[in-house]
Amino acid sequence: MPVDPLHSATHQLPRGSRSSAVEVRRSARRSRTVSAYREGDRTIVLIPDRMSEAEEQRWVTVMLDKLAAQESKRVFGDAELAERARRLSAQCFDGRARPASVRWVTNQNTRWGSCTPAEGSIRLSHRLQGMPEYVVDYVLVHELAHLLVPGHGPRFWQLLEAYPRTERARGYLEGVVAAERLPHLPAARTE
């Protein structure tokens, strides 16, 4: 069987995107379908070879949005949460923040997370489950920073500058809080 001709191109994403790059792979065997998946720090988008550059750009955007929507609905367990904390500590704090435990809890309805530096324990509110991964990561980084600096002084906030999506995540969480405070009006009647 002949080998499928495959063309590949790499696109850089805007700063702050989930992945560092998108790789588009064109295939003559692929006639109509477009698909995408994550591979480490890259997003792979598979498209038919016949697509124009404009169609490629449109489909890359569509597939990135689809992947982000799927990921925002994904809920991960305590073991994955602890692994994320380890990875984020390595990325943001050179591995200096080492929690003894990281877990989801259901008894935090007024805060997103908490940390007990003396015990090295981090707890995240179950309300974060299903939020975009960058938001969960921000709360993890916030709590990891408390293992290094217990309070919220200037040194603490300086540590958080290591996480590039801090402002975006904080804005998202502020929006969630604001939405929770809106009056819940009855649904409009249709006549």
Side-chain angles (χ1 to χ4, degrees), residues 158-172:
Q158 185 179 15
L159 281 175
L160 282 185
E161 291 176 9
Y163 184 65
R165 299 178 91 177
T166 292
E167 288 305 313
R168 184 174 181 189
R170 289 185 67 175
Y172 184 98

Side-chain angles (χ1 to χ4, degrees), residues 31-108:
S31 60
R32 292 188 313 240
T33 60
V34 176
S35 62
Y37 60 93
R38 304 282 191 204
E39 189 175 87
D41 235 9
R42 304 175 73 76
T43 302
I44 310 299
V45 180
L46 307 170
I47 65 171
D49 194 35
R50 64 172 172 69
M51 278 194 180
S52 69
E53 240 352 92
E55 288 175 307
E56 175 182 315
Q57 289 300 322
R58 184 177 70 81
W59 276 107
V60 165
T61 301
V62 166
M63 298 312 287
L64 287 174
D65 289 346
K66 274 188 164 185
L67 283 173
Q70 289 170 355
E71 290 166 351
S72 72
K73 293 176 186 167
R74 191 170 146 240
V75 176
F76 39 89
D78 290 350
E80 190 174 2
L81 196 62
E83 174 56 29
R84 291 177 84 79
R86 187 203 58 74
R87 181 180 47 80
L88 289 164
S89 175
Q91 286 175 352
C92 297
F93 308 124
D94 297 322
R96 292 179 294 131
R98 295 187 187 114
S101 68
V102 181
R103 62 191 174 95
W104 295 107
V105 293
T106 57
N107 63 350
Q108 290 186 0

Side-chain angles (χ1 to χ4, degrees), residues 107-128:
N107 63 350
Q108 290 186 0
N109 294 315
T110 59
R111 57 175 64 179
W112 299 113
S114 62
C115 175
T116 306
E119 297 173 5
S121 63
I122 292 175
R123 295 157 307 279
L124 295 191
S125 173
H126 72 286
R127 296 180 308 136
L128 289 165

